[in-house]
Amino acid sequence: MILPVHDRLRVHLARLLTTRYSLDPSAQPPLALEYPPNRDLGDLGTPAAPARAHAGGKAIVEHTAINPNKAAHIGHLRNAALGDTLVRVLRFRGVPVEVQNYIDDTGVQVADVVVGFRHIAGKTPDEIRQIADTTRFDYYCWDLYARVTEWYEDDKERLKIRANTLHDIEHGGNENAEIAGFIADRIVRCHLRTMARMNVDYDLLTWEGDILRLKFWAQAFEVLKEKHAVHLRTEGKLAGCWVMPIQEDLESTPKVPTPNAQPLPTANSQSEEDAEEREKVIVRSNGVVTYVGKDIAYQFWKLGLLGRDFNYREFAPRPQGPLWATSSTDGAATHPPYGGAAYVYNVIDVRQSYLQKLLKQALIAVGHPEGAQRSHHFSYEMVALSHATARELGFAPAPDSEDAKRPFVEVSGRKGLGVKADDLLDTVIKKAGEEVAKRNQELSETEVARTAHMIGIAAVRYFLVKFSRGKVIAFDLEEALSFQGESGPYIQYAIVRINNIFRKLQERDGLDEAALVAPLATTPAGELTGDNGHELWSLVLEAARLDEVVEQVVASLEFSVLAKYAFGLAQAFNAFYNLHPSRSSILNEERDDARRWRAAAVIYLRNQLTRALDLMGIAVPARM
């Protein structure tokens, strides 16, 4: 790794400044290091002050958060890929991370599926359980959800049924609430299986219903009222609602009404509509808390500022220990500690930026500006399909439609027009398997399937992180699966190629990797200092930068940097071996010292590249 070298160099430079120029160590400026444009000028330079990411304390990363009403879709895969990569890079830096998946089991989406089962399909609770036991339940609910949307559009009066159902779910103790709980539980288990295919895992499932039943919101509400962060509207369209004024500058102290403040404009005032646009409803006039209120309470709990906790239950067994879930009833006697984080990362798409700003505003308003500083919104843009992929998956728009003229094909889960995550993974893995079988006819079906899965997941995960997170991406099957372009399989192939070199060396000469590098301490280093050394050392130096790249990634929350680093490292290896076969060969090199130094350099590069892929949740197959 390169950062320990940086630290040692800074210590040495500071010592030189002290001894040669009599500079007080405490008065010396920070010593940053960067790479000169030409390696003839050296490996490292010192231009300016460094920026380092935070250190110390537990981080909570909340990601995925799929509504438990239907199958996961391709957009959820981007959220999970980004969130899981964030977890991995934080842990790589030594940060303890708690991974949470928020389950909105009391929201309108679940209510709509309940409406579909009760009022469209006419199913009883027992019949719904039978359907769940005999069908792909998340797919069944996907289609039912789309039918409910059309049903509402046919008669807007039916939205009252949704409202009543939502009320039943929020209050509990009735048949609609029982059905909603069953649906959410079964769909969440489907989502977990989907995400496990992507090598994504969680520590805790946080259920929104528990936030309500344990009155987390009531606790947060009292604090907000005490600090005058919210106030009751008595006139106008929002009469009877508790609202939070919206601040433009979230770093300043919110200008909230106090008991002695002038009243807001009346309903007859010309500025009444403008005033309402500057306020966010937290509690509706009927007493129902909005999703903003629930999220405020949840954020307070994450940061250890709420003053109360959940009960906890084991949700599902795993080899590494149970997956835990929150509970509002009696929980387990012992459980891991949750909440109370030093830092919180909420991975949620850019459309929720407004909500995330309100969470920070609420923290500032109640006197916790440091909590706002420690709250990070990891935003990202939507995922669409390339036209070629849409055609292959059966979602191509009509040739003469406006959608056909757009650069990509948008999808809509509400309308049932979208790519289910498992369907996409199945297609990618199937295509990868066809290529693996063609290239490796000696492999068994089991080995082909295992290899195809690794390649398919690499194709999807790398594609979803290689673009800037602020960019709308159009997923393309051919680009994602390419063995030649900027793709996960391309990087995997570079590692497989390296492994093949050492496998052949083992088979031919009986030399394993450990035996090759063991005598390096006493091996002449001419291979690194001679004519061939410049390019070989460049490979080592670039491979050593992984920890530095991770620092940049955590500081910027831009994972395309990590993806492009891994791709560039794979390119550098391939170029070195393709352009200079006589100077880079390990298998055919007769000089023992040269072979050992080349082997050591390539082993180090491979290990670093493997770690970079692992940070993106990508494994490496034995063959490709």
Side-chain angles (χ1 to χ4, degrees), residues 23-70:
L23 291 181
D24 182 353
S26 63
Q28 292 180 21
L31 293 172
L33 301 175
E34 70 172 24
Y35 300 92
N38 187 324
R39 286 202 62 248
D40 290 335
L41 301 175
D43 292 332
L44 294 168
T46 57
R52 300 295 290 271
H54 72 75
K58 177 176 74 174
I60 285 178
V61 176
E62 181 218 320
H63 68 81
T64 307
I66 310 171
N67 289 318
N69 68 321
K70 59 179 174 29

Side-chain angles (χ1 to χ4, degrees), residues 67 77 155 208 216 294 329 376 465 501 541 567:
N67 289 318
L77 292 184
D155 185 354
E208 183 176 277
F216 277 24
K294 288 176 280 191
T329 58
H376 304 282
V465 301
I501 292 173
L541 189 64
F567 174 63

Side-chain angles (χ1 to χ4, degrees), residues 457-496:
I457 297 306
V460 173
R461 287 201 57 151
Y462 187 87
F463 194 97
L464 293 175
V465 301
K466 76 172 183 176
F467 297 100
S468 169
R469 59 191 173 91
K471 178 183 177 61
V472 176
I473 62 175
F475 186 85
D476 185 80
L477 280 168
E478 183 176 353
E479 180 181 345
L481 272 170
S482 173
F483 280 36
Q484 301 300 323
E486 184 182 353
S487 70
Y490 173 87
I491 303 171
Q492 286 177 312
Y493 188 71
I495 298 174
V496 170

Side-chain angles (χ1 to χ4, degrees), residues 58-66 79-80 83-84 87 91 97-103 192 200-207 211 216 298-299 301-304 309-310 312 323-326 336-341 343-347:
K58 177 176 74 174
I60 285 178
V61 176
E62 181 218 320
H63 68 81
T64 307
I66 310 171
N79 184 303
D84 184 64
V87 171
R91 286 176 173 164
V97 183
E98 180 180 304
V99 190
Q100 297 185 8
N101 185 355
Y102 185 77
I103 312 299
L192 292 175
V200 173
D201 193 23
Y202 313 91
D203 298 315
L204 179 68
L205 305 180
T206 312
W207 294 72
I211 292 177
F216 277 24
Y298 183 32
Q299 191 74 2
W301 170 80
K302 287 178 181 176
L303 290 164
D309 198 4
F310 295 100
Y312 299 94
L323 169 62
W324 288 85
T326 60
Y338 293 113
Y343 299 90
V344 173
Y345 296 88
N346 295 327
V347 183

Side-chain angles (χ1 to χ4, degrees), residues 108-380:
V108 67
Q109 290 81 8
V110 174
D112 283 346
V113 177
V114 175
V115 169
F117 274 118
R118 300 299 302 277
H119 297 274
I120 297 179
K123 301 297 183 182
T124 66
D126 286 342
E127 289 172 331
I128 295 171
R129 291 188 180 89
Q130 177 67 18
I131 291 170
D133 290 338
T134 58
T135 67
R136 177 68 192 267
F137 193 55
D138 54 341
Y139 279 38
Y140 185 97
C141 291
W142 175 290
D143 295 333
L144 182 60
Y145 183 61
R147 289 172 61 194
V148 174
T149 301
E150 295 176 355
W151 191 68
Y152 290 147
E153 291 174 351
D154 290 342
D155 185 354
K156 297 299 183 183
E157 285 294 309
R158 292 169 175 166
L159 290 172
K160 295 178 181 177
I161 299 175
R162 168 200 273 178
N164 292 334
T165 303
L166 187 60
H167 182 272
D168 287 347
I169 294 171
E170 289 179 343
H171 286 77
N174 54 74
E175 193 169 69
N176 280 338
E178 176 191 343
I179 293 172
F182 174 80
I183 291 169
D185 181 90
R186 285 298 186 93
I187 296 294
V188 166
R189 295 180 189 276
C190 292
H191 292 166
L192 292 175
R193 287 191 290 271
T194 300
M195 294 305 158
R197 301 179 71 185
M198 289 275 289
N199 302 323
V200 173
D201 193 23
Y202 313 91
D203 298 315
L204 179 68
L205 305 180
T206 312
W207 294 72
E208 183 176 277
D210 294 326
I211 292 177
L212 294 175
R213 288 184 286 270
L214 290 171
K215 302 188 183 304
F216 277 24
W217 163 243
Q219 176 81 3
F221 191 29
E222 290 304 314
V223 174
L224 290 168
K225 288 190 290 185
E226 179 186 344
K227 299 293 185 180
H228 307 297
V230 296
H231 66 278
L232 179 66
R233 291 281 268 137
T234 58
E235 298 178 307
K237 295 179 182 178
L238 301 182
C241 297
W242 285 89
V243 299
M244 175 186 288
I246 300 168
Q247 304 298 318
E248 293 297 328
D249 181 8
L250 293 179
E251 301 304 319
S252 64
T253 302
K255 300 179 178 64
V256 297
T258 63
N260 297 321
Q262 292 295 318
L264 289 169
T266 65
N268 295 326
S269 170
Q270 194 173 19
S271 61
E272 173 69 23
E273 186 174 337
D274 292 338
E276 290 172 352
E277 290 180 354
R278 295 195 299 271
E279 297 174 324
K280 180 64 180 176
V281 174
I282 306 299
V283 181
R284 298 188 181 96
S285 58
N286 62 0
V288 174
V289 59
T290 65
Y291 68 94
V292 179
K294 288 176 280 191
D295 282 349
I296 288 173
Y298 183 32
Q299 191 74 2
F300 282 10
W301 170 80
K302 287 178 181 176
L303 290 164
L305 303 175
L306 190 64
R308 60 178 61 186
D309 198 4
F310 295 100
N311 297 319
Y312 299 94
R313 59 192 170 98
E314 295 185 10
F315 186 80
R318 299 177 304 171
Q320 68 271 38
L323 169 62
W324 288 85
T326 60
S327 174
S328 53
T329 58
D330 292 339
T334 59
H335 57 80
Y338 293 113
Y343 299 90
V344 173
Y345 296 88
N346 295 327
V347 183
I348 190 167
D349 71 53
V350 71
R351 293 171 296 179
Q352 298 297 318
S353 295
Y354 171 72
L355 166 63
Q356 295 297 312
K357 289 179 180 178
L358 287 178
L359 298 186
K360 286 194 172 189
Q361 180 181 314
L363 287 162
I364 295 171
V366 300
H368 288 288
E370 81 290 346
Q373 291 285 340
R374 295 185 284 121
S375 300
H376 304 282
H377 176 203
F378 188 122
S379 63
Y380 62 93

